[in-house]
Amino acid sequence: MTAELLATPDTHETETRQGVMYDLTGPGGDVRWDPGDPATVEAARAAFDRQVGAGALAYRTDNPDHGGEQIREFAPDAAVVVLVQPLQGG
């Protein structure tokens, strides 16, 4: 299995063994990985590192008690990671 890039995210979709990273920073697409498949984890980690390295903020949103928790390193055990651009004042 390889990391699957998705053209349109379905935010109502839940899957038990698969993580999803919703990339809201631009047209890059979303990434899914299987924690048991090292190839998909590494592809997702590379996409995460690329976006965070370019200034995106990453949030792990799979903990219903905390809403979203900002993360700075890829978490392959996360069910949902959301990438966003930081707010800029003007």
Side-chain angles (χ1 to χ4, degrees):
M1 181 176 187
T2 60
E4 178 183 349
L5 290 177
L6 303 174
T8 55
D10 179 359
T11 57
H12 302 290
E13 184 177 324
T14 57
E15 294 184 49
T16 31
R17 277 280 299 152
Q18 199 173 40
V20 63
M21 182 166 46
Y22 293 119
D23 183 354
L24 305 179
T25 63
D30 301 324
V31 177
R32 293 184 185 273
W33 68 93
D34 178 343
D37 182 348
T40 63
V41 170
E42 285 311 309
R45 182 184 316 277
F48 178 93
D49 290 345
R50 197 170 37 253
Q51 293 294 49
V52 171
L57 301 176
Y59 295 91
R60 179 180 184 150
T61 62
D62 56 353
N63 185 341
D65 295 330
H66 297 294
E69 169 191 0
Q70 186 175 3
I71 58 175
R72 290 173 176 78
E73 294 183 11
F74 180 68
D77 63 325
V80 179
V81 174
V82 178
L83 296 170
V84 297
Q85 291 293 340
L87 294 176
Q88 297 180 12

